[in-house]
Amino acid sequence: MDRVIMFIDSLCEKIGKAVAWLVVPLTLGLVYEVAARYFFRAPTVWAFDLSYMLCGTLFMLGASYTLHTGAHVRVDVFHKMLSKRNQAIVDAVLYIVFFFPALFFLMIKGFDWFWYAWQIGERATASPWRPIIYPFKAVIPVASFLLILQGIAEFLTCVQIIKRRKCA
């Protein structure tokens, strides 16, 4: 079980750190847009599409890394008052009841959205640039899959904590 957890954690960490580099083209594109718009009075047609696609990709693909590092927002009003074992029990139940079903649904629907966009050659309609949008929509099922993987690692960690406390 430890090897599975370590593999998933390592994979999500590597992907998260690689995806973090999307901040560079995102920042450069936005700086270019601001300079072009305000200094040269020549706004771009592509900056808006570039920014929401890169920011969305960064957000979605970085979610599994965020879960791995424990940086997701959680309401700890009661959770922090519980023992480690009881926290693990609550977390394990919540992973099974809410986390996995929601992400499986998002992964399946996300794949449907991507597949439809691929079939029709969907393009963004918010700007005259009209970039293809199906690569961006492909991020939804991929990110959902990575979150499910990281959720499996977190769930297995909860199981280990629960078992450890029973054996001790």
Side-chain angles (χ1 to χ4, degrees):
M1 199 178 316
D2 285 335
R3 290 172 59 192
V4 171
I5 293 169
M6 285 175 27
F7 172 76
I8 294 171
D9 284 347
S10 174
L11 176 69
C12 288
E13 188 168 331
K14 287 175 185 168
I15 291 171
K17 288 181 178 182
V19 167
W21 283 98
L22 288 177
V23 168
V24 175
L26 175 62
T27 303
L28 292 174
L30 290 175
V31 166
Y32 181 86
E33 167 62 16
V34 168
R37 178 179 300 264
Y38 294 107
F39 295 122
F40 304 112
R41 306 254 189 255
T44 64
V45 296
W46 49 264
F48 174 73
D49 293 313
L50 178 79
S51 65
Y52 80 74
M53 287 184 189
L54 287 178
C55 189
T57 301
L58 178 66
F59 177 81
M60 292 289 290
L61 291 178
S64 62
Y65 177 74
T66 305
L67 181 60
H68 164 64
T69 60
H72 275 283
V73 175
R74 84 171 17 194
V75 179
D76 279 343
V77 176
F78 300 111
H79 193 267
K80 67 182 174 186
M81 294 188 295
L82 300 174
S83 68
K84 288 285 185 196
R85 182 174 185 273
N86 286 338
Q87 285 178 358
I89 290 169
V90 168
D91 289 346
V93 169
L94 292 176
Y95 275 115
I96 291 171
V97 173
F98 294 110
F99 185 85
F100 291 125
L103 283 170
F104 276 117
F105 176 77
L106 182 62
M107 185 174 65
I108 290 165
K109 288 305 291 178
F111 182 79
D112 290 344
W113 295 328
F114 156 72
W115 188 247
Y116 179 72
W118 173 280
Q119 288 177 325
I120 66 170
E122 186 176 4
R123 294 182 166 274
T125 57
S127 75
W129 182 38
R130 297 185 38 86
I132 56 171
I133 201 153
Y134 52 84
F136 177 59
K137 286 193 174 184
V139 170
I140 298 168
V142 170
S144 301
F145 176 74
L146 290 172
L147 262 171
I148 289 168
L149 274 182
Q150 187 59 46
I152 290 169
E154 300 297 320
F155 177 78
L156 292 176
T157 301
C158 291
V159 169
Q160 283 184 328
I161 291 169
I162 295 165
K163 282 184 176 180
R164 205 174 311 131
R165 297 293 175 143
K166 284 184 180 175
C167 296

